[in-house]
Amino acid sequence: MLVEDISIAVAAGEILAVVGPSGAGKSSFLRLLNRLDEPTAGTVLLEGQDYRSIAPRELRRRIGMVMQTAYLFPGGVAANIAFGPKQRGQTLTAAQIASLLERVGLPGFESRDVGNLSGGEAQRVALARTLANLPEVLLLDEPTSALDEASVHGIEELVSGIVQERQMAGVIVTHDRAQAARMAHRTMLIETGRLVAIGPTNEVLHDR
Amino acid sequence: MIAELQSSIGHDVFMGLAQAAGAIALCAAVVALCRWQAVRVEREAAVSMARGLVQMVFVGMVLALLLHGSLLIGSLILLMMTAAAAFTAARRLKGMEGAHLLCFWAIAAGGGTVIAAMLATRSLRPDISMLVPVGSMIIANAMNACAQAVERLRAEIAAHVGQIEAGLALGAEPDVTVQPYLRSAVYASLLPRLDMLKSLGLVWIPGVMAGMMVSGASPVYAGIYQFIIVAMILAASGITALVATVLMRARVLSGGPVDASPERRWRRALSSPYKADLPSRLLFVRFLRTIAIL
């Protein structure tokens, strides 16, 4: 069992950090939230609705995820951003793409090839690509672990601002307690797949 | 049956054995040369030559019997060859449950369709002496295409689990996320056959054409017939690779405990609950859609 006996709620506009040692089950927990992995027991309620009653593709649109690595698709930045809506038969306008890129701090990057982006730029494009789906929940799996310090702070500010702005529920997995302190309203600590503590970030991090 | 065997052992067999003795003597001289340079291959060379000769004499005797067999026996032999080919190709999918059956259906679809088409268009006589050798060539190539396609698809998926999951996390249909890798696997398996077709007559003159000319057929007809065989090999390989990869994709995304290999990423791609995403479980519809996309 990777994760067991965890029951939590995250409110709109709130960021919850998931911290714990390597192998504690942080990423496994996150993957259960958008059904990239299937729980053997228990469930997730999205605005009160059992997520098994929502079609997985629609569920994953509503629960966006940014991974540790950007995993951009080969080609241009604009095509990557348009990918999500395109899966539902929707076409993003050039203005919508430009607006998303501007919001993540990459104005004018539409025609760039993803192969020519730095790590920080790629992660910003991955964030814009997720936001293009208009998710209600934003899951972040160590989104800055592969970035340099300057990029880390940029992404942190960006994510915090967007979660507030769009009133999304945010869950960030991080091994960096200082990052949890900078970004999260509440923090949950898990060890060997079990919930050890949850509460306001300062209290949880101070007590442990 | 004994009489058929006896009739096939004529003067040319003894002549062949004498020629084989000459070939063995030349090999023995090379082995002696190697020994002179302290390269010890005597034992291995002796065993290999003995095995090779005995096996080929045995195959010749079996073929001598087959020439007088019925069409039903020929079909059964092709079926056995298909099963053996599936067994060989399935080794590339070690640990995947149902891999043998997957490869069997793929090779049977490719080989069967092409052999049936050749029989229907009279490019292949319903005669066991022709059906078995030509059929075996097609099945062997279908086997190679199957092995190459599944191996490539497995490697591509294992290397791109991140991209596949990123696509799924963005709400893409599972088939769409795997499609680039399926396309690449099918293309990779067809490439050697396409090269074979391109180089036909320029780089190599295959055995069928040479054999037909030796037995008195017109060189031009022999050339055209050889082209037909290679084109049919390409067709069989294409069908086999498509069926194998589409069946494999259905397994990859089926959510079942399919693979027991130690590669965690690969297993994770296989075990994720994508089943619920699939709007259609009808393989035929998925197969047609894949062809359309490709």
Side-chain angles (χ1 to χ4, degrees), chain B residues 107-117 138-139 236:
Chain B
I107 296 169
T113 305
V114 163
I115 292 170
I138 288 165
I139 290 168

PDB file of all heavy atoms in Angstrom, chain B residues 107-117 138-139 236:
ATOM      1  N   ILE B 107       0.244 -12.365 -36.533  1.00  0.00           N
ATOM      2  CA  ILE B 107       0.933 -13.051 -37.636  1.00  0.00           C
ATOM      3  C   ILE B 107      -0.086 -13.802 -38.497  1.00  0.00           C
ATOM      4  O   ILE B 107       0.003 -13.803 -39.733  1.00  0.00           O
ATOM      5  CB  ILE B 107       2.021 -14.010 -37.085  1.00  0.00           C
ATOM      6  CG1 ILE B 107       3.096 -13.198 -36.361  1.00  0.00           C
ATOM      7  CG2 ILE B 107       2.647 -14.836 -38.201  1.00  0.00           C
ATOM      8  CD1 ILE B 107       4.070 -14.023 -35.544  1.00  0.00           C
ATOM      9  N   ALA B 108      -1.074 -14.415 -37.832  1.00  0.00           N
ATOM     10  CA  ALA B 108      -2.101 -15.140 -38.587  1.00  0.00           C
ATOM     11  C   ALA B 108      -2.888 -14.172 -39.470  1.00  0.00           C
ATOM     12  O   ALA B 108      -3.217 -14.485 -40.625  1.00  0.00           O
ATOM     13  CB  ALA B 108      -3.038 -15.865 -37.638  1.00  0.00           C
ATOM     14  N   ALA B 109      -3.174 -12.968 -38.948  1.00  0.00           N
ATOM     15  CA  ALA B 109      -3.927 -11.980 -39.744  1.00  0.00           C
ATOM     16  C   ALA B 109      -3.103 -11.551 -40.958  1.00  0.00           C
ATOM     17  O   ALA B 109      -3.608 -11.513 -42.083  1.00  0.00           O
ATOM     18  CB  ALA B 109      -4.269 -10.772 -38.880  1.00  0.00           C
ATOM     19  N   GLY B 110      -1.833 -11.231 -40.729  1.00  0.00           N
ATOM     20  CA  GLY B 110      -0.980 -10.778 -41.840  1.00  0.00           C
ATOM     21  C   GLY B 110      -0.718 -11.886 -42.834  1.00  0.00           C
ATOM     22  O   GLY B 110      -0.990 -11.746 -44.043  1.00  0.00           O
ATOM     23  N   GLY B 111      -0.210 -13.018 -42.341  1.00  0.00           N
ATOM     24  CA  GLY B 111       0.120 -14.132 -43.232  1.00  0.00           C
ATOM     25  C   GLY B 111      -1.115 -14.707 -43.886  1.00  0.00           C
ATOM     26  O   GLY B 111      -1.138 -14.949 -45.109  1.00  0.00           O
ATOM     27  N   GLY B 112      -2.164 -14.911 -43.084  1.00  0.00           N
ATOM     28  CA  GLY B 112      -3.395 -15.523 -43.608  1.00  0.00           C
ATOM     29  C   GLY B 112      -4.038 -14.693 -44.698  1.00  0.00           C
ATOM     30  O   GLY B 112      -4.425 -15.210 -45.748  1.00  0.00           O
ATOM     31  N   THR B 113      -4.138 -13.383 -44.452  1.00  0.00           N
ATOM     32  CA  THR B 113      -4.772 -12.499 -45.437  1.00  0.00           C
ATOM     33  C   THR B 113      -4.014 -12.542 -46.759  1.00  0.00           C
ATOM     34  O   THR B 113      -4.614 -12.661 -47.839  1.00  0.00           O
ATOM     35  CB  THR B 113      -4.787 -11.038 -44.909  1.00  0.00           C
ATOM     36  OG1 THR B 113      -5.407 -11.033 -43.640  1.00  0.00           O
ATOM     37  CG2 THR B 113      -5.514 -10.113 -45.854  1.00  0.00           C
ATOM     38  N   VAL B 114      -2.700 -12.464 -46.661  1.00  0.00           N
ATOM     39  CA  VAL B 114      -1.891 -12.393 -47.884  1.00  0.00           C
ATOM     40  C   VAL B 114      -1.897 -13.736 -48.633  1.00  0.00           C
ATOM     41  O   VAL B 114      -2.043 -13.774 -49.856  1.00  0.00           O
ATOM     42  CB  VAL B 114      -0.455 -11.942 -47.526  1.00  0.00           C
ATOM     43  CG1 VAL B 114       0.508 -12.238 -48.646  1.00  0.00           C
ATOM     44  CG2 VAL B 114      -0.465 -10.454 -47.217  1.00  0.00           C
ATOM     45  N   ILE B 115      -1.767 -14.821 -47.900  1.00  0.00           N
ATOM     46  CA  ILE B 115      -1.782 -16.136 -48.560  1.00  0.00           C
ATOM     47  C   ILE B 115      -3.146 -16.367 -49.227  1.00  0.00           C
ATOM     48  O   ILE B 115      -3.223 -16.838 -50.369  1.00  0.00           O
ATOM     49  CB  ILE B 115      -1.436 -17.262 -47.560  1.00  0.00           C
ATOM     50  CG1 ILE B 115       0.031 -17.125 -47.141  1.00  0.00           C
ATOM     51  CG2 ILE B 115      -1.677 -18.637 -48.174  1.00  0.00           C
ATOM     52  CD1 ILE B 115       0.457 -18.007 -45.989  1.00  0.00           C
ATOM     53  N   ALA B 116      -4.216 -15.984 -48.523  1.00  0.00           N
ATOM     54  CA  ALA B 116      -5.557 -16.138 -49.108  1.00  0.00           C
ATOM     55  C   ALA B 116      -5.688 -15.281 -50.363  1.00  0.00           C
ATOM     56  O   ALA B 116      -6.237 -15.729 -51.383  1.00  0.00           O
ATOM     57  CB  ALA B 116      -6.611 -15.740 -48.071  1.00  0.00           C
ATOM     58  N   ALA B 117      -5.159 -14.056 -50.318  1.00  0.00           N
ATOM     59  CA  ALA B 117      -5.239 -13.162 -51.492  1.00  0.00           C
ATOM     60  C   ALA B 117      -4.437 -13.754 -52.657  1.00  0.00           C
ATOM     61  O   ALA B 117      -4.881 -13.698 -53.823  1.00  0.00           O
ATOM     62  CB  ALA B 117      -4.702 -11.779 -51.121  1.00  0.00           C
ATOM     63  N   ILE B 138       6.436 -15.827 -46.156  1.00  0.00           N
ATOM     64  CA  ILE B 138       5.534 -14.747 -45.730  1.00  0.00           C
ATOM     65  C   ILE B 138       5.369 -14.763 -44.208  1.00  0.00           C
ATOM     66  O   ILE B 138       5.440 -13.721 -43.545  1.00  0.00           O
ATOM     67  CB  ILE B 138       4.180 -14.869 -46.464  1.00  0.00           C
ATOM     68  CG1 ILE B 138       4.398 -14.456 -47.922  1.00  0.00           C
ATOM     69  CG2 ILE B 138       3.101 -14.015 -45.819  1.00  0.00           C
ATOM     70  CD1 ILE B 138       3.307 -14.829 -48.852  1.00  0.00           C
ATOM     71  N   ILE B 139       5.203 -15.948 -43.649  1.00  0.00           N
ATOM     72  CA  ILE B 139       5.029 -16.047 -42.189  1.00  0.00           C
ATOM     73  C   ILE B 139       6.306 -15.602 -41.463  1.00  0.00           C
ATOM     74  O   ILE B 139       6.248 -14.886 -40.453  1.00  0.00           O
ATOM     75  CB  ILE B 139       4.633 -17.491 -41.795  1.00  0.00           C
ATOM     76  CG1 ILE B 139       3.203 -17.765 -42.279  1.00  0.00           C
ATOM     77  CG2 ILE B 139       4.727 -17.706 -40.286  1.00  0.00           C
ATOM     78  CD1 ILE B 139       2.794 -19.208 -42.210  1.00  0.00           C
ATOM     79  N   ALA B 236       1.921  -8.387 -45.855  1.00  0.00           N
ATOM     80  CA  ALA B 236       1.737  -9.229 -44.665  1.00  0.00           C
ATOM     81  C   ALA B 236       2.371  -8.572 -43.444  1.00  0.00           C
ATOM     82  O   ALA B 236       1.796  -8.570 -42.347  1.00  0.00           O
ATOM     83  CB  ALA B 236       2.359 -10.605 -44.900  1.00  0.00           C
TER      84      ALA B 236
END
